Amino acid sequence: MNSDWWKGLVVPAVLLGLAELAMRFHGSVSMSLAAPTDIVIAFGRVLLNGSLLAATGGTLVSAGAGLIFGGFIGLLLGILFGLLAIVDRVMEVTIEAIRPIPSVAVLPIAMLIFGFGYRMEIAIVAFSCLWPVMIMTRAAVGGIEPRLLEVSRALRLSAVDRVIKVVLPAALPRIMVAFRLAAGIALVVAVTVEIAVNPLGLGYGILVAQQALQPDVMLAYLVWIGVIGWGLNVLLSLAQNRLFGRAGQVEVVR
Amino acid sequence: MKAWRILWLALSFLVAILFVWGWQMLADYRIVSPVFLPGPDRAWRSLTLGFTTGDLGMKFLSTVERMFWGWLIASLLGIVLGAAIGTSPRLRTYLAPTLEFLRPLPASATIPVAIAMLGLSDGMVLSVIAFGALWPVLLATIHGFAAVEPRLYEVGRALRLSRPAVIFKIALPSASPDILAGMRLGLTVALILSVVCEMIAGRDGLGNWILLSARSFRAPDLYAGVILLGVLGYGTSVILAAVEGRLLSWRKRAR
């Protein structure tokens, strides 16, 4: 694996080279494609004039805030459902009726309530992050060694103490996995909302570049969005391994 | 045991009905402005009206059609490509890093690029859906094929099976749970992308309908559309789960 790392770069390098050659030989000005070198130049331009960083900030702020809100509610619900089997069973139909609603379907509702801007985007991101966090937290709490809960009962811990001192630490590695997945979802949903209606962030930037017939800027944005998604994933995986080591390498449920 | 299960289900239905009743109360007493939250009665009326006198049924069908074809193309392509990449370790070392880099890319970010290349056409919508739904299927298939018990391949070699025979008789059945899980994820992606594409490109369908309803403050129509989308999401996942259960029933027996 270690001596083969360069092999992964061969395919993208060849593709980029071919694209460059094709665009140079073809020679015409395209409205939909650009040569890789032009994309790099366009990337430098939007980076220097600050528009790229502002857009990145907008997207990350809404994705992050939505993740925090939705993740927190999902965490609370997941702990509640995981600890109290009665609540879980009684709420089953209600949850299963709301959960399959696609995240983008709540977009017009959020638009109606909040108008355009951060609040609407955060609400949609929170709605889509809530479900995976809730389901995985529920599974994590339900999978806690029963003897730990017996101990907490024997020690007569209060409900709050039981959650903070026993349940959360025991379920934390799997909850971390849930948040890592939800972070990816948050970014995807934020960009989607921006492309569909919301005039801010990276999604709006790429849409404006397309409408202004600047394929080089558009593709620069596309590559940048890819880099951010990839970077976020790598960063969170590293953090997870650092914080939990082998305990973090648990199976993802559902 | 089964009677208990039915009892719990009935109880949880009751709770759901209670929630709908609470929603009705919220709307009736105008605790939340009816501009944002019409009662379930008005949403229901708008739903039935849309189906009987309007063309909501047509919009529903065109969204379903879009989602289905995009998903089907993605699934077939994903399985074929995944089988090719998954059965060859050499291809894997060359392609896996590229695929890993492309995986977290939000599929909706390709919409502007697709619009620039193909215009606001149905072909654009279909290719965006197919591209977006391709990733879950492709990566699951590669994983499924790579995770086949090596001894099964050895048996195939001992029996001197040809490569297609190995794929169809050994690898595909063994990878089918992974592939079906990927296809299920792909279906969710396909539904989301159909709705987004309809919103952006203005193609006729549920996505366009709910966006226009919100823009003209027709809240009951909007909620009717959202309910319909929820039903669509639920229905497709139930159907796929049933297909999965049937296709994979041999695995349960084998154990």
Side-chain angles (χ1 to χ4, degrees):
Chain A
M1 184 66 208
N2 290 327
S3 61
D4 283 349
W5 61 270
W6 57 271
K7 282 184 179 167
L9 296 176
V10 171
V11 176
V14 169
L15 285 180
L16 283 178
L18 281 180
E20 182 76 41
L21 283 179
M23 290 308 287
R24 292 293 164 216
F25 274 112
H26 196 253
S28 72
V29 178
S30 168
M31 304 248 189
S32 56
L33 292 170
T37 45
D38 290 338
I39 297 173
V40 171
I41 293 168
F43 181 77
R45 212 166 58 227
V46 287
L47 188 67
L48 287 180
N49 71 19
S51 57
L52 186 72
L53 290 180
T56 310
T59 299
L60 289 183
V61 163
S62 2
L67 176 66
I68 290 169
F69 278 118
F72 187 67
I73 299 171
L75 191 65
L76 288 185
L77 287 179
I79 291 174
L80 186 72
F81 290 174
L83 284 181
L84 302 173
I86 300 174
V87 182
D88 185 28
R89 284 185 186 159
V90 163
M91 291 293 290
E92 188 184 337
V93 170
T94 313
I95 296 289
E96 289 305 312
I98 302 175
R99 202 163 64 92
I101 296 175
S103 50
V104 283
V106 299
L107 193 154
I109 299 180
M111 197 172 92
L112 202 61
I113 297 176
F114 297 114
F116 296 116
Y118 282 105
R119 284 193 303 168
M120 164 254 225
E121 195 171 324
I122 290 169
I124 300 166
V125 173
F127 177 83
S128 11
C129 290
L130 201 164
W131 307 111
V133 173
M134 188 204 88
I135 286 166
M136 291 179 69
T137 307
R138 184 176 66 185
V141 172
I144 292 175
E145 168 72 47
R147 260 174 281 176
L148 283 177
L149 296 176
E150 278 168 28
V151 168
S152 71
R153 226 166 289 143
L155 291 172
R156 306 198 180 200
L157 293 180
S158 66
V160 177
D161 266 356
R162 204 189 306 167
V163 168
I164 293 176
K165 290 184 179 159
V166 177
V167 172
L168 266 184
L172 205 56
R174 292 173 74 179
I175 291 173
M176 178 73 192
V177 176
F179 269 87
R180 184 160 70 86
L181 288 183
I185 295 173
L187 184 70
V188 170
V189 171
V191 171
T192 305
V193 172
E194 285 159 6
I195 287 180
V197 287
N198 207 14
L200 65 89
L202 290 170
Y204 185 63
I206 192 171
L207 198 66
V208 166
Q210 182 257 317
Q211 282 166 358
L213 299 180
Q214 293 176 308
D216 48 351
V217 177
M218 172 181 83
L219 291 169
Y221 265 102
L222 182 68
V223 173
W224 179 240
I225 292 173
V227 168
I228 287 188
W230 178 78
L232 194 69
N233 196 19
V234 168
L235 215 68
L236 287 169
S237 300
L238 273 181
Q240 190 186 328
N241 281 342
R242 242 302 153 64
L243 289 173
F244 298 111
R246 286 190 61 81
Q249 321 238 320
V250 280
E251 283 272 313
V252 174
V253 189
R254 272 213 263 186
Chain B
M1 200 63 211
K2 193 140 195 190
W4 275 111
R5 171 90 192 122
I6 291 170
L7 199 71
W8 277 116
L9 217 61
L11 205 65
S12 105
F13 256 110
L14 217 67
V15 171
I17 291 167
L18 223 70
F19 270 100
V20 174
W21 179 76
W23 173 15
Q24 183 73 59
M25 289 298 112
L26 273 181
D28 281 356
Y29 290 100
R30 312 225 155 190
I31 298 166
V32 182
S33 164
V35 176
F36 303 142
L37 191 76
D41 54 336
R42 284 174 64 204
W44 180 253
R45 205 175 315 135
S46 162
L47 194 64
T48 47
L49 213 66
F51 267 109
T52 48
T53 60
D55 51 355
L56 198 57
M58 287 300 296
K59 291 183 200 303
F60 181 72
L61 281 183
S62 65
T63 301
V64 171
E65 206 177 324
R66 211 162 265 144
M67 175 181 91
F68 177 74
W69 287 118
W71 173 72
L72 197 68
I73 296 170
S75 300
L76 292 179
L77 219 71
I79 293 172
V80 171
L81 286 178
I85 299 171
T87 47
S88 150
R90 188 183 294 159
L91 265 181
R92 270 213 305 279
T93 49
Y94 280 99
L95 285 177
T98 313
L99 297 179
E100 280 304 311
F101 177 75
L102 285 174
R103 186 175 54 98
L105 179 77
S108 50
T110 58
I111 294 176
V113 181
I115 292 177
M117 285 198 241
L118 300 169
L120 296 170
S121 61
D122 275 327
M124 182 281 284
V125 173
L126 208 59
S127 51
V128 166
I129 297 170
F131 180 82
L134 173 70
W135 294 103
V137 183
L138 178 65
L139 291 166
T141 309
I142 293 176
H143 176 256
F145 272 76
V148 172
E149 167 74 45
R151 261 176 280 176
L152 286 178
Y153 281 136
E154 280 167 26
V155 169
R157 250 195 314 265
L159 292 175
R160 306 200 179 201
L161 294 177
S162 62
R163 188 163 156 159
V166 168
I167 289 179
F168 280 106
K169 290 188 175 152
I170 295 176
L172 207 56
S174 155
S176 53
D178 284 303
I179 296 174
L180 284 167
M183 282 169 75
R184 196 199 276 239
L185 210 60
L187 196 64
T188 321
V189 175
L191 176 58
I192 289 176
L193 285 175
S194 320
V195 173
V196 175
C197 282
E198 282 164 7
M199 285 177 175
I200 298 173
R203 310 306 298 181
D204 205 25
L206 283 179
N208 196 23
W209 156 264
I210 56 174
L211 191 68
L212 290 180
S213 303
R215 288 221 165 117
S216 47
F217 291 94
R218 285 183 282 127
D221 287 355
L222 163 60
Y223 279 79
V226 172
I227 291 171
L228 218 50
L229 279 172
V231 170
L232 183 53
Y234 185 68
T236 46
S237 90
V238 165
I239 292 172
L240 214 60
V243 171
E244 207 174 323
R246 173 155 282 213
L247 280 180
L248 298 182
S249 59
W250 59 273
R251 276 181 83 83
K252 258 184 229 136
R253 264 184 275 125
R255 263 181 208 155

